[in-house]
């Protein structure tokens, strides 16, 4: 395979570099690149071009044009630039375009030239204007650094969380620095700048002069500097053509190179591969390109006239053809080179590829590839090669090497032949784990499909692994390549929620922005495609529709949302509060109901608010509960609104208990009475009137007798009066409040017994016939251990209860007599059970006799 | 015991997991506030907390001092305050006051509120209105279910009954649904779910939604609970209104069982201090008498004490070696048993003193008369006298409610006069109590004519779906008819027994009410389980106002599915009584089901009924 290494250029002993074409650019660019502002996003990202920017005279016809192309040169979008003078373009990590204006305003556009937002870099920048600007990426996000007309630096490390930092002044700086760069070390962002032969380091607080170690003293003034993709390495170019390469910490030198070209380069970028020992920078002048590294020789390319233009010794044997003015885009594993007609990739050949393809290589991978070719030719040489690998026991390494190398190849044909070799080799190994092979096949299929001209994302395998498939899917979604993204998800069998559903949701969010279709059509189309796919949130899509001003569509989409809890916040936002309220109630989530109720309270006037609640009992009772504890006055208004006089009455009664003074209480109760009458609840009204009456009376009693009467029940008031001997007053209350006779008698005798006023009790018992009989008199006297008094009443008890009464007072003889008189066997037994043989033998005898007689009959 | 089991009843699942989960989460939450801190605890969370993590566990996690959340400022000096509270508005105000007072005096402390079982938006709103929302951090302690015993778990939400049935506040339904979700994830998947009542239905539906959202299918797990039965308390107020006569019920009525434990006062302990006793299956004496009718308890206890004495007496004839054995192995157990025995005998005596009085006997007689529906006039006068004599405000109210419910409301004359009497006896503030009782349909006036019923039945025909269910809500509260008499007849709740009802070897669940009445709630559970659904009970369902549901989710047929299919959890939304628990235990033994009774909220019984004048 000799032709394969034709484009390999050695640098030093071990490294080879190659440059190959990714795409032929068909953007039909008429302008020279050098006349445009160019920005290309890393990881095979899009290219932004601003044409006609330099022209000062601004006639409408020659207004600058902002265009965005895919990496293959397909136009994605373009707009005429109408805002201020642009200084710099740059891409954020999420592929938004930053347009930095002279006045320090940064405008953010998406991939399709749609304006997203803008921010300003501060007043100082506004006054002094932007001289130069750089966009950089750190772990914090995408940052912007500005050099102002006053030769001061301002920067922000994350444009999504804007914190402007003004760097300290560089002492004695009169003219702009010849070159500068943003470095990040230990999470601190610093600026390195060069003025003549001096290097300054600006951190948050100070400015210090630094000297790179091992810098040749005769190197001269700095013209250009370059920081590597990972901020680890730094390269400096001086006006003697000398290049210093070292660590960005400026603590160590890696190598140096003398180019002898004294003119200032247009661009200088690092070209290294992760995990490679080789360090190299690519330097571009208008007409030539040079790869310089740890070697005395370099690789260079130039425009016509090529070789003769430079001293022969330096032009070297190896060269890249560079026909026209180019633009370099650093990538983590190489450099992309853009020109008017082509888009190329320059990188160091990875080890695995080197091993396999290097001329006369005897590495196991190389032998395996050869063996497979011979096998296809049906030659027995295949066996020889294979045997050679197997003898060294290197077959697994050979297979792995082929698989790995396939990843680095751009041409499907080469990928295939390497994979075929791997697959061939695999057959001769027991138990070679298949994952790496399968994985590589899948990855390559994905990569090949996105590298397609139509898609135009020229990711290398290394970049793809760094970017991860999730981010790649995001980028496809950003480019609105939904079908491809879905196919990739399905092909890689990603879980639905993070794969297909997510993309469908994005698609739907895009779909709702299509203004040319009716709400019905869009809603239908979305539902058709999304159905009940798990992980789809219709409310999010609806929110997007609402953001685009399509409220009706949003409501339609919300209908598809199965979780009513999700519908509510958006409905509120869209001011469909009543709908939101019923949805919230339907969800059964009371917190949600409260949310809506409070929202309504602030949104509607009080009357409407109450009316709305009246139609929703669940919400109403929730709100009432809240008011009961937090806003009692509102509660009153609520009842008022509803003409709920019963509840209003209750409300007043309730508040009467929190009144300290009698007048206050009476007042509240009077209000309650009025309301109860309005509610036609005469019972409650009467009861409350009685309560007022009682309260007033109790106050008098309290004053008269100097004893607490307030808040006693009527019963207890009267009882207390009797116990204190105020019989007249008690009688009066009995009449005034129409206390039923029975109650009064119960009450009076128990009160008198408590007082021990047996005399009064006797008097009372004779005042008229007792409505409760006389057994209670006996009981109460016994309860107070006054058998003597009890005995007085026992004879007056009705015959049916007399036995019980006599037993109570302990007069068994009389009890027995009564029982015998009644001829009641049960009563006799009862008395008998109370008798004890020792003392009551006479009674027992009498009873037994009577019982026997009774039984005889 | 009451009856010999026909099949071996399966073991109830291990509810201890619930405790361990709750404790681990609480410790995690406490550790979120590192350093020493004072803990403020809502009074009604104290007992449940004690069952989960005692003081020493709290101290291990740097809790310094413990305070009750109450209506006065706390003297805490700690720099970190942690509040363990129920999501209540007034508690939020209490916390806000503390924070604002600190602000006024320029003191800065850290405040953390832990809501149990969950946070409500209304609470955050209050914190915001009081201007302290930014000063506190909030967390949730998802402590939904407390196992009180081997077969009882409880949510311990006393306000559930009032909030839902009286105020129509649906907040707690979410908590119930989450509790179901928790049970389902630990012991499920349930293969059958039955239920009746609006709240039951809403909880069930919300739970289904939660399950769907969580996408956590319990496939491949062996279920430990096969069936679950949800019931609203308002399906059966009657049972809750009857005097309890099984031992555990009587202990509750007399001494109040709180969170599975009871404080026996000096009159029981026959010393001068109270003793707190855990009442559960671990107590060997109690576990044998808890479900018994009180009339058999005393006999059992005296038998037991004789046995105990005999065991002690064995010492007499022992030689040294036997004695050593006896002391090391048996004596401790005997002593423990002895202690418990004397406590329960003390409790029995105390109950006897109160309950064997004439009054109690007569009250039971009146209750039975009301349940069977005869001698209404006499019963009414008994109630009147009961009120007049100020026997007990709660008992009076209970009897009035029982009268109202069994008779479908009081006749207007009685309604007014009983209320008037009551107000005179116990104070005018009970006007509000009556209003509340009317609202939940516990104490109502008989409606004139049948007009309302007609409207109602028409509406209930129309109403099938969820949205329209809200219309009936209004009707329900307007005129909730109990239809008790008709239901009682349909389900033959009053057993017809010839001769004496055998309380020692009871033939059915009615023994929990001395054989006079089978608890309606338990009867429904029995019937539905027997029929595996509501077929044949249509008329009863109609009389109960509907809202029944049954779900069988790939339930294995009879015989298959093993023990789990015989484990049923009965959930009472709004609390249940110990009589019902006893009846369900009886049912469990009879049918070979274990009925783990989950109390939707702690036993409300009368505490819910007298909710008025607060």
């Amino acid at each position: 395979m000799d032709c394969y290494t034709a484009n390999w250029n050695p640098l030093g002993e071990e490294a080879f570099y190659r440059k190959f074409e990714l795409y032929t650019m068909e953007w039909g660019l008429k302008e020279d690149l050098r006349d445009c502002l160019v920005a290309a996003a890393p990881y095979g990202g899009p290219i932004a071009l601003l044409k006609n920017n330099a022209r000062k005279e601004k006639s409408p016809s020659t207004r600058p044009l902002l265009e965005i192309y895919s990496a293959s040169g397909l136009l994605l979008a373009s707009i005429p630039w109408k805002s201020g003078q642009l200084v710099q373009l740059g891409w954020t990590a999420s592929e938004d375009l930053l347009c930095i204006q002279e006045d320090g305003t940064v405008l953010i556009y998406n991939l399709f030239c749609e304006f997203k937002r803008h921010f300003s870099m501060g007043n100082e920048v506004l006054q002094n204007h932007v001289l130069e600007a750089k966009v950089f990426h750190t772990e914090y996000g995408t940052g912007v650094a500005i050099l102002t007309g006053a030769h001061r630096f301002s920067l922000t490390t994350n444009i999504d969380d804007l914190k402007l930092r003004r760097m300290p002044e560089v002492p004695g700086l009169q003219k702009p620095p010849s070159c500068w760069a943003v470095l990040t070390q230990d999470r601190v962002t610093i600026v390195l700048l060069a003025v003549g032969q001096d290097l300054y380091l600006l951190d948050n607080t100070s400015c210090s002069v630094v000297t790179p170690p091992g810098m040749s003293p005769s190197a001269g003034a700095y013209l250009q500097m370059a920081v590597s993709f990972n901020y680890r390495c730094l390269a400096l170019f001086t006006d003697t053509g000398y290049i210093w390469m070292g660590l960005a910490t400026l603590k160590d030198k890696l190598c140096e190179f003398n180019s002898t070209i004294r003119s200032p380069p247009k661009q200088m970028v690092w070209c290294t591969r992760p995990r490679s020992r080789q360090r190299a920078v690519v330097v571009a002048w208008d007409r030539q390109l040079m790869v310089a590294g740890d070697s005395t020789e370099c690789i260079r390319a130039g425009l016509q006239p090529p070789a003769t233009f430079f001293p022969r010794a330096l032009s070297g044997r190896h060269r890249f053809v560079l026909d026209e003015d180019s633009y370099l885009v650093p990538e983590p594993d190489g450099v992309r080179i853009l020109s008017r007609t082509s888009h190329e990739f320059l990188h160091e050949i990875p080890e695995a590829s080197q091993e396999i393809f290097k001329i006369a290589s005897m590495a196991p991978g190389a032998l395996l590839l050869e063996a497979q070719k011979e096998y296809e030719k049906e030659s027995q040489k295949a066996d020889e090669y294979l045997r050679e690998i197997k003898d060294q026991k290197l077959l697994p390494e050979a297979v792995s090497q082929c698989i790995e190398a396939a990843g680095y190849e751009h041409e499907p044909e080469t990928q295939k032949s390497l994979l075929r070799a791997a697959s061939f080799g695999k057959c001769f190994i027991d138990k070679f784990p298949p994952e790496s092979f399968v994985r590589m096949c899948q990855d390559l299929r994905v990569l090949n499909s996105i590298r397609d001209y139509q898609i135009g994302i020229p990711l290398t395998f290394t970049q793809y692994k760094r970017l991860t498939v999730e981010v790649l899917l995001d980028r496809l979604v950003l480019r609105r390549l939904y079908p491809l993204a879905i196919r990739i998800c399905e092909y890689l069998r990603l879980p639905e929620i993070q794969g297909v559903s997510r993309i469908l949701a994005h698609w739907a969010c895009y779909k709702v922005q299509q203004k040319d279709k009716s709400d019905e059509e869009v809603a239908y189309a979305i539902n058709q495609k999304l159905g009940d796919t798990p992980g789809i949130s219709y409310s999010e899509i609806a929110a997007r529709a609402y953001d685009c001003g399509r409220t009706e569509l949003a409501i339609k989409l919300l209908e598809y949302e199965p979780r009513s809890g999700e519908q509510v916040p958006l409905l509120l936002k869209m001011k469909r509060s009543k709908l939101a309220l019923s949805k919230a109630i339907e969800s059964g989530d009371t917190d949600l109901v409260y949310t809506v109720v409070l929202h309504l309270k602030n949104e509607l006037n009080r009357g409407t608010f109450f009316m709305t609640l009246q139609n929703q009992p669940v919400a109403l009772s929730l709100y009432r509960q809240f008011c009961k504890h937090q806003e009692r006055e509102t509660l009153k208004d609520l009842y008022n609104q509803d003409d709920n006089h019963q509840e209003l009455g209750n409300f007043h009664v309730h508040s009467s208990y929190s009144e300290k003074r009698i007048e206050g209480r009476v007042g509240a109760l009077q209000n309650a009475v009025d309301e109860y009458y309005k509610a036609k609840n005469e019972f409650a009204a009467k009861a409350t009137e009685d309560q007022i009456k009682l309260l007033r009376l109790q106050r008098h009693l309290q004053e008269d007798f100097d004893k607490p009467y307030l808040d006693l029940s009527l019963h207890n008031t009267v009882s207390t009066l009797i116990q204190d001997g105020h019989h007249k007053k008690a009688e009066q209350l009995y009449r005034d409040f129409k206390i039923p006779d029975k109650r009064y008698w119960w009450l009076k005798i128990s009160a008198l017994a408590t007082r021990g006023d047996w005399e009064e009790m006797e008097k009372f018992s004779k005042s008229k016939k007792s409505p409760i009989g006389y057994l209670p008199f006996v009981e109460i006297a016994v309860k107070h251990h006054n058998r003597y008094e009890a005995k007085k009443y026992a004879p007056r008890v009705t015959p049916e209860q007399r036995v019980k009464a006599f037993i109570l007072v302990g007069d068994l003889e009389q009890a027995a007599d009564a029982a015998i008189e009644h001829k009641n066997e049960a009563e006799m037994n009862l008395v008998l059970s109370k008798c004890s043989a020792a003392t009551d033998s006479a009674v027992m005898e009498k009873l037994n006799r009577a019982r026997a007689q009774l039984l005889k009959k | 015991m009451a009856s010999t089991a026909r099949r071996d009843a399966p073991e109830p699942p291990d509810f201890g997991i619930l405790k361990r989960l709750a404790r681990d989460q609480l410790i995690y939450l406490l550790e979120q506030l590192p350093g020493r801190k004072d803990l403020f605890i809502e009074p009604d969370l104290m007992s449940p907390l004690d069952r989960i993590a005692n003081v020493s566990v709290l101290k291990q996690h740097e809790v310094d001092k413990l305070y009750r959340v109450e209506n006065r400022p706390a003297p805490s000096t700690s720099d970190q305050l942690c509040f363990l509270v129920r999501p209540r508005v007034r508690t939020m105000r209490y916390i806000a006051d503390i924070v604002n007072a600190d602000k006024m005096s320029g003191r800065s402390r850290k405040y953390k509120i832990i809501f149990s079982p969950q946070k409500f938006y209304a609470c955050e709103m209050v914190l915001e209105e009081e201007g302290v929302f930014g000063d506190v951090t909030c967390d949730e302690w998802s402590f939904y279910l407390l196992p009180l015993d081997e077969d009882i778990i409880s949510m311990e939400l006393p306000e559930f009954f009032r909030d839902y049935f009286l105020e129509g506040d649906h907040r707690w339904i979410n908590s119930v649904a989450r509790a179901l979700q928790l049970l389902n994830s630990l012991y499920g998947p349930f293969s059958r779910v039955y239920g009746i009542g609006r709240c039951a239905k809403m909880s069930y539906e919300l739970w289904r939604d939660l399950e769907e959202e969580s996408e956590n299918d319990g496939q491949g797990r062996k279920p430990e609970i096969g069936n679950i039965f949800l019931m609203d308390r308002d399906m059966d107020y009657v049972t809750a209104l009857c005097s309890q006569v099984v031992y555990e019920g009587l202990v509750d009525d007399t001494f109040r069982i709180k969170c599975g434990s009871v404080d026996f006062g000096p009159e029981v302990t026959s010393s001068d201090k109270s003793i707190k006793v855990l009442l559960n299956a671990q107590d060997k004496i109690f576990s044998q008498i808890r479900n018994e009718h009180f009339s058999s308890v005393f006999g059992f206890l005296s038998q037991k004490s004789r046995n105990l004495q005999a065991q002690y007496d064995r010492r007499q004839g022992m030689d040294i070696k036997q004695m050593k054995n006896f002391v090391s192995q048996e004596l401790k157990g005997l002593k423990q048993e002895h202690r418990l025995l004397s406590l329960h005998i003390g409790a029995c005596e105390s109950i006897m003193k109160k309950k064997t009085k004439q009054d109690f006997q007569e009250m039971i007689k009146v209750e039975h008369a009301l349940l069977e529906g005869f001698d209404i006039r006499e019963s009414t006068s008994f109630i009147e006298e009961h009120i007049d004599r100020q026997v007990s405000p709660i008992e009076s109210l209970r009897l009035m409610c029982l009268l109202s419910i069994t008779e479908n409301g009081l006749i207007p004359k009685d309604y007014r006069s009983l209320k008037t009497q009551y107000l005179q006896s116990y104070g005018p503030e009970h006007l509000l109590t009556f209003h509340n009782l009317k609202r939940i349909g516990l104490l109502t006036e008989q409606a004139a004519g049948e007009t309302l019923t007609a409207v109602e039945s028409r509406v209930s025909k129309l109403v099938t779906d969820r949205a329209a269910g809200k219309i009936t809500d209004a009707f329900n509260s307007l005129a909730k008819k109990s239809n008790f008499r008709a239901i009682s007849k349909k389900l033959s709740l009053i057993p017809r027994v010839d001769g004496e009802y055998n309380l020692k070897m009871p033939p059915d669940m009615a023994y929990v009410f001395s054989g006079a009445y089978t608890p309606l709630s338990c009867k429904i559970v029995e019937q539905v389980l027997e029929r595996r659904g509501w077929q044949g009970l249509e008329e009863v369902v109609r009389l109960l106002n509907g809202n029944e549901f049954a779900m069988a989710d790939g339930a294995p047929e009879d015989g298959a599915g093993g023990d789990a299919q015989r484990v049923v959890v009965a959930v009472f939304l709004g609390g249940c009584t110990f009589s019902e628990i006893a009846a369900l235990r009886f049912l469990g033994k009879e049918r070979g089901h274990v009925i783990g009774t989950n109390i939707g909220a702690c036993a409300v019984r009368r505490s819910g009924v007298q909710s008025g004048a607060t």
Side-chain angles (χ1 to χ4, degrees), chain A residues 430-443:
Chain A
D430 296 335
K431 292 183 190 151
F432 184 84
E435 292 83 8
S436 58
F437 182 77
V438 174
R439 180 72 334 167
M440 181 55 77
C441 291
Q442 288 179 339
D443 287 342

Side-chain angles (χ1 to χ4, degrees), chain A residues 586-587 591 598 621-622 625 628-630 646-647 650 654 657 683 713-716 740 743 746, chain B residues 93 121 125 129-130 163 167-169 206 388-390 419 421 424-425 427-429 435 439 466 614:
Chain A
E586 217 172 273
S587 78
D591 281 1
L598 260 105
S621 44
L622 278 175
Q625 281 287 78
K628 243 177 218 171
H629 298 289
Q630 189 70 0
Q646 174 65 35
E647 286 295 350
N650 290 349
H654 222 289
Y657 288 106
F683 176 81
S713 70
L714 178 61
H715 186 110
N716 292 349
R743 171 193 291 280
W746 276 113
Chain B
R93 303 252 300 253
Y121 181 62
M125 241 155 62
E129 281 186 11
E130 304 286 329
D163 279 354
E167 313 277 6
D169 178 344
L206 198 58
D388 285 351
R389 291 171 53 203
Q390 289 185 309
K419 282 204 300 187
Q421 299 294 310
Q424 289 189 355
S425 268
E429 64 270 26
H435 178 74
R439 199 146 87 191
R466 201 164 155 179
T614 46

Side-chain angles (χ1 to χ4, degrees), chain B residues 236-523:
Chain B
D236 174 20
Y237 284 134
V238 174
T239 307
L241 289 168
C242 291
S243 295
Q244 309 200 62
V245 287
V246 290
Y247 182 64
E248 194 169 8
L250 276 168
V251 171
D252 183 35
D253 278 1
T254 322
F255 308 102
R256 278 247 150 275
I257 299 180
K258 270 190 215 143
C259 207
S261 68
V262 70
D263 276 319
F264 282 137
E267 79 274 18
V268 175
T269 56
S270 46
S271 62
D272 46 358
K273 55 173 189 268
S274 299
I275 298 183
K276 190 169 188 168
V277 185
L278 268 187
L279 294 178
N280 57 27
Q282 307 300 318
D283 179 340
K284 290 224 175 55
I285 307 274
F286 179 69
S287 69
Q288 289 183 66
I289 52 173
R290 66 197 306 186
N291 301 319
E292 294 296 294
H293 190 272
F294 191 66
S295 60
S296 2
V297 171
F298 220 75
F300 176 87
L301 288 178
S302 57
Q303 177 63 40
K304 192 83 198 167
S305 65
R306 273 196 296 279
N307 289 352
L308 206 58
Q309 190 58 48
Q311 271 175 300
Y312 272 119
D313 290 346
R314 275 188 20 241
R315 281 178 304 179
Q316 306 304 327
M318 285 181 182
D319 58 24
I320 297 285
K321 202 174 165 199
Q322 283 168 323
M323 186 67 103
K324 200 175 153 199
N325 234 355
F326 175 81
V327 173
S328 65
Q329 286 170 8
E330 288 175 56
L331 195 60
K332 198 169 164 230
L334 284 178
K335 277 205 165 145
Q336 168 74 3
E337 216 166 311
H338 181 89
R339 194 182 71 90
L340 291 170
L341 192 62
S342 64
L343 274 178
H344 286 297
I345 291 177
C348 264
E349 280 170 349
S350 188
I351 292 168
M352 292 270 264
K353 231 180 264 166
K354 280 179 194 154
K355 299 294 185 184
T356 48
K357 272 196 293 190
Q358 199 99 30
D359 283 346
F360 186 64
Q361 301 289 358
E362 274 171 34
M363 192 157 76
I364 298 265
K365 231 167 75 191
V366 168
E367 278 177 23
H368 292 175
L370 290 175
L371 288 168
E372 293 185 48
F374 57 77
D375 291 346
I376 300 302
R377 267 305 3 122
E378 276 95 286
S379 304
T380 314
S381 351
F382 175 83
I383 298 173
E384 196 168 351
E385 191 183 309
H386 200 270
I387 298 169
D388 285 351
R389 291 171 53 203
Q390 289 185 309
V391 180
S392 147
I394 286 200
E395 299 279 284
S396 304
L397 213 48
R398 189 168 63 74
L399 288 170
M400 284 165 78
C401 292
L402 193 61
L403 174 67
S404 162
I405 281 223
T406 52
E407 287 296 298
N408 253 341
L410 303 178
I411 53 173
K413 192 179 126 275
D414 288 345
Y415 185 60
R416 310 187 112 230
S417 77
L418 285 180
K419 282 204 300 187
T420 315
Q421 299 294 310
Y422 196 90
L423 294 182
Q424 289 189 355
S425 268
Y426 302 117
E429 64 270 26
H430 289 288
L431 189 63
L432 296 179
T433 311
F434 286 125
H435 178 74
N436 288 341
L437 288 172
K438 184 179 172 187
R439 199 146 87 191
I440 52 175
L442 269 172
L443 185 61
T444 53
E445 194 171 355
Q446 267 173 21
E450 285 297 298
T451 44
L452 262 170
T453 340
V455 177
E456 214 179 340
S457 69
R458 221 175 306 137
V459 170
S460 66
K461 259 178 226 144
L462 285 171
V463 173
T464 42
D465 62 324
R466 201 164 155 179
K470 271 135 215 160
I471 306 173
T472 36
D473 195 27
F475 281 99
N476 282 352
S477 55
L478 250 178
K480 194 170 286 168
K481 296 196 57 171
S482 76
N483 299 320
F484 175 73
R485 204 72 67 211
I487 295 169
S488 164
K489 217 159 142 195
K490 268 264 168 307
L491 291 172
S492 12
L493 295 180
I494 314 291
R496 299 277 160 249
V497 207
D498 301 320
E500 192 88 337
Y501 188 93
N502 187 350
L503 288 171
K504 291 232 154 59
M505 296 285 277
D508 54 34
M509 293 190 287
Y511 90 92
V512 301
F513 292 115
S514 313
Y517 162 67
T518 314
L520 168 59
S521 49
C522 307
K523 189 79 179 178

